[in-house]
Amino acid sequence: MSVLTPRPSAYPSRVSAEPARLPRTDPVVWGTVDDGPLDEAALARFATSGYLTLDQLIDRDEVAALLREVDRLAADPALAGDERLILEPGSGEVRSVFELHVLSERFAELFAHPAVQAPVRQLLGSDVTIFQSRVNRKPGFRGREFSWHSDFETWHTEDGMPRPRAVSLSLALTENRSDNGSLMIIPGSQRTFVSCVGETPDDHYRESLRNQQYGVPDEESLVALVEAGGIETVTLTPGSGVLFDCNCMHGSNGNITPFGRCNVFVVFNSVDNPLEEPFGGTTPRPRFLAAR
Amino acid sequence: MSVLTPRPSAYPSRVSAEPARLPRTDPVVWGTVDDGPLDEAALARFATSGYLTLDQLIDRDEVAALLREVDRLAADPALAGDERLILEPGSGEVRSVFELHVLSERFAELFAHPAVQAPVRQLLGSDVTIFQSRVNRKPGFRGREFSWHSDFETWHTEDGMPRPRAVSLSLALTENRSDNGSLMIIPGSQRTFVSCVGETPDDHYRESLRNQQYGVPDEESLVALVEAGGIETVTLTPGSGVLFDCNCMHGSNGNITPFGRCNVFVVFNSVDNPLEEPFGGTTPRPRFLAAR
């Protein structure tokens, strides 16, 4: 393990023995109503809650075509053993496929479509690049929980994303119900940066894709955020999606229902927010996790 | 381990290498509208769905008093090491207290109260006895899931309850939300007995209180039941409760929210349904799990 030298940052994390809640010094909404399709109410909702649902972003046929494309990628012999395919520990089934925008023309077209790009560019007030994309296939009956976390905490510390000027889209290809481990968001949490305790081992990303151990917010901070904003479960019909700010505190419960979930996840970063050296001093993670 | 000799039964389980879905040959509602406070609509709802919520069964003051009583029992030096107290593996905190009706005068009075007893006697069409009672304190942040199961499957196989003529009350002392691991029920599942695969080791109950391994329904049956009836999450305000049939297929997801749950659980069995020898051929479980 290398000796890590964290860099100074307005969003320090994993550098102190004590957690802290720091005010976000950057805007949540960077553009204006003149910049795109979202109206004042939608922009205000995103600024306040940190997320926004987009109903029926794609139609049923496109949903079916994307599900077939996911199956094709998961079964592609050329991708066997590729680190962009994450396998279920027990069964060896493909749980996630990363870098969809590189591996699949169809997904690249989807992510470049104006219906997707225009609201994202408006929220970020600039052109955007894809920072990461993936599809997650969460099984029914034994879907595992995902603890509370801010994506930006990781992307800043481990990937060198300087400011919280990135937006994620989670697009449902199957139903996201209130009972099958859907995304839970703490509304308003995007305005607070929770500085986490601990260090970051170098090259730990392979393990962390399975089991989050670093950048874990403290329970006192989570209680404070929930007391202020509550918790909302984002339910989605197939073809609908949710845009959420990169610093939203979010997570998901496990899932014992028979209803699995298949969601496409793509992160857009502002072109004015290019990645630097990781603020945690670690070696940059590979391109499929953080495109530079 | 003893050699087990299962007894013949209309509800055989853990005796075959293949699962089966058997029709329930007994009624769900045994009484009539003349027998108690529930009206025709409520009785019909219970017959159809297998459960019924009771709003504000007790008031805020009584909720607070019961929570204090739970704390008192959990801290009672006279009960330290008692097998009726189930401890959290890591922290050693008291997670459950069994036989509340024996250990606590206040709980005994609650369970004997007409507001509790009258609808139960009406549903079961007879006087009732307490088969089991307990309080569960489920922590926030790391509440574990509980897999799908029918209580009657266990009570029949391991405790010798002859027929599904028992009703459970789960009474909320803290909020049961849609996102904090609340009870999920498959409506209508009470009309099907899912015969499970496998055997029952003798004296396995200590482990099974922590981790269900026997009497686990097969996934195909669960899918069939959910396709027919869906899944409903039972949300409850403190002081409200839910009555549910002993053969309802139910379970709960894990809970990463900060909201823990504290529920009192009491099972009423018809006096016309006294326990016999366990149908699975095992040694009867102790009184705190199955009062004879």
Side-chain angles (χ1 to χ4, degrees):
Chain A
M1 194 182 297
S2 57
V3 176
L4 304 179
T5 310
R7 297 198 292 134
S9 161
Y11 301 103
S13 192
R14 314 187 205 176
V15 292
S16 166
E18 291 298 324
R21 293 191 290 284
L22 308 173
R24 177 187 183 126
T25 53
D26 286 291
V28 175
V29 173
W30 299 71
T32 69
V33 73
D34 300 326
D35 294 334
L38 301 175
D39 62 17
E40 286 287 5
L43 292 177
R45 205 154 61 241
F46 191 88
T48 303
S49 300
Y51 75 98
L52 194 63
T53 52
L54 301 174
D55 280 345
Q56 294 309 116
L57 202 52
I58 57 174
D59 65 20
R60 281 166 171 277
D61 290 345
E62 179 68 8
V63 168
L66 292 175
L67 282 168
R68 285 194 302 272
E69 179 72 349
V70 172
D71 286 342
R72 187 187 69 76
L73 291 167
D76 187 348
L79 291 174
D82 193 297
E83 69 173 347
R84 291 171 292 188
L85 266 57
I86 311 296
L87 308 184
E88 197 74 40
S91 65
E93 282 178 58
V94 174
R95 195 183 74 177
S96 303
V97 180
F98 278 80
E99 233 179 20
L100 290 176
H101 59 293
V102 173
L103 293 176
S104 161
E105 186 66 29
R106 185 176 273 274
F107 277 109
E109 280 172 18
L110 171 70
F111 301 153
H113 195 282
V116 170
Q117 287 253 336
V120 170
R121 283 201 305 266
Q122 183 181 16
L123 290 169
L124 296 179
S126 71
D127 279 340
V128 297
T129 59
I130 292 179
F131 168 81
Q132 186 195 101
S133 70
R134 67 174 188 265
V135 61
N136 290 330
R137 307 204 283 185
K138 293 223 177 184
F141 290 116
R142 57 202 125 256
R144 294 198 319 174
E145 80 274 6
F146 210 104
S147 311
W148 299 105
H149 64 286
S150 150
D151 290 327
F152 177 67
E153 193 278 341
T154 297
W155 299 341
H156 184 71
T157 307
E158 300 191 20
D159 301 323
M161 181 185 283
R163 306 171 80 177
R165 193 172 178 179
V167 164
S168 299
L169 168 68
S170 181
L171 172 67
L173 298 186
T174 58
E175 205 179 349
N176 286 211
R177 301 163 46 104
S178 62
D179 59 12
N180 71 340
S182 295
L183 176 70
M184 295 192 291
I185 286 180
I186 303 177
S189 60
Q190 77 281 359
R191 291 189 301 263
T192 300
F193 182 78
V194 178
S195 181
C196 302
V197 164
E199 295 181 346
T200 316
D202 220 5
D203 278 341
H204 78 97
Y205 68 87
R206 285 183 188 82
E207 178 55 27
S208 79
L209 291 177
R210 295 220 171 110
N211 194 3
Q212 192 191 12
Q213 297 175 69
Y214 309 100
V216 176
D218 63 296
E219 293 186 359
E220 184 184 316
S221 292
L222 291 171
V223 167
L225 294 174
V226 168
E227 279 177 354
I231 295 173
E232 287 175 12
T233 299
V234 179
T235 57
L236 298 169
T237 54
S240 298
V242 55
L243 292 172
F244 60 103
D245 179 85
C246 59
N247 191 46
C248 258
M249 196 63 77
H250 63 286
S252 58
N253 280 324
N255 173 26
I256 69 161
T257 80
F259 306 110
R261 282 183 306 117
C262 184
N263 280 44
V264 173
F265 185 77
V266 53
V267 185
F268 297 99
N269 188 25
S270 167
V271 294
D272 297 329
N273 195 37
L275 299 196
E276 304 175 0
E277 290 302 301
F279 286 85
T282 43
T283 308
R285 298 194 299 173
R287 188 190 70 183
F288 76 92
L289 290 171
R292 293 179 172 268
Chain B
M1 195 181 298
S2 56
V3 175
L4 304 179
T5 311
R7 297 199 291 134
S9 162
Y11 302 103
S13 192
R14 313 187 205 175
V15 292
S16 166
E18 291 298 324
R21 294 191 290 284
L22 309 173
R24 178 188 183 125
T25 54
D26 287 291
V28 176
V29 173
W30 299 70
T32 69
V33 73
D34 300 324
D35 294 334
L38 301 175
D39 62 16
E40 287 287 4
L43 291 177
R45 207 154 59 240
F46 191 88
T48 303
S49 300
Y51 75 98
L52 194 63
T53 52
L54 301 175
D55 280 345
Q56 294 309 116
L57 202 53
I58 58 174
D59 65 19
R60 281 167 171 276
D61 290 345
E62 180 67 9
V63 168
L66 292 175
L67 282 168
R68 284 194 302 271
E69 179 72 347
V70 172
D71 287 343
R72 187 187 69 76
L73 292 166
D76 187 347
L79 291 174
D82 193 296
E83 70 173 347
R84 290 171 293 188
L85 267 58
I86 311 296
L87 309 183
E88 197 73 41
S91 65
E93 282 178 56
V94 174
R95 194 184 73 177
S96 302
V97 180
F98 278 80
E99 235 181 16
L100 289 176
H101 58 294
V102 173
L103 293 175
S104 161
E105 186 66 29
R106 184 176 274 275
F107 276 108
E109 280 172 17
L110 171 69
F111 301 153
H113 194 282
V116 170
Q117 287 254 335
V120 169
R121 283 201 306 264
Q122 183 182 14
L123 289 169
L124 296 179
S126 71
D127 279 339
V128 298
T129 60
I130 293 179
F131 168 80
Q132 186 195 100
S133 70
R134 67 174 189 265
V135 60
N136 290 330
R137 308 204 284 185
K138 294 224 178 183
F141 289 117
R142 57 200 123 258
R144 293 200 316 177
E145 79 275 5
F146 210 104
S147 311
W148 299 105
H149 65 287
S150 151
D151 291 327
F152 177 68
E153 193 277 342
T154 296
W155 300 341
H156 184 70
T157 307
E158 300 192 22
D159 301 323
M161 181 184 283
R163 306 171 79 179
R165 193 172 178 179
V167 163
S168 299
L169 167 68
S170 181
L171 173 67
L173 299 185
T174 57
E175 204 177 351
N176 286 210
R177 301 162 47 103
S178 62
D179 59 13
N180 70 341
S182 295
L183 177 69
M184 295 192 292
I185 287 180
I186 303 177
S189 60
Q190 77 282 359
R191 292 190 298 265
T192 300
F193 182 78
V194 178
S195 181
C196 302
V197 164
E199 294 179 347
T200 316
D202 221 5
D203 279 341
H204 78 96
Y205 69 88
R206 285 184 188 84
E207 179 53 30
S208 80
L209 291 176
R210 295 222 170 109
N211 195 1
Q212 192 191 10
Q213 297 175 69
Y214 309 101
V216 176
D218 63 294
E219 293 186 358
E220 184 184 315
S221 292
L222 291 171
V223 167
L225 293 174
V226 168
E227 279 177 354
I231 295 173
E232 287 174 13
T233 300
V234 180
T235 57
L236 297 170
T237 53
S240 297
V242 56
L243 292 172
F244 59 103
D245 179 84
C246 60
N247 191 45
C248 258
M249 197 63 78
H250 63 287
S252 57
N253 280 323
N255 173 27
I256 68 160
T257 79
F259 305 110
R261 281 183 308 118
C262 184
N263 279 43
V264 173
F265 185 77
V266 52
V267 185
F268 297 98
N269 188 26
S270 167
V271 294
D272 297 329
N273 195 37
L275 300 196
E276 303 175 359
E277 290 301 301
F279 286 85
T282 44
T283 307
R285 298 194 300 173
R287 189 190 70 182
F288 76 92
L289 290 171
R292 294 181 171 265

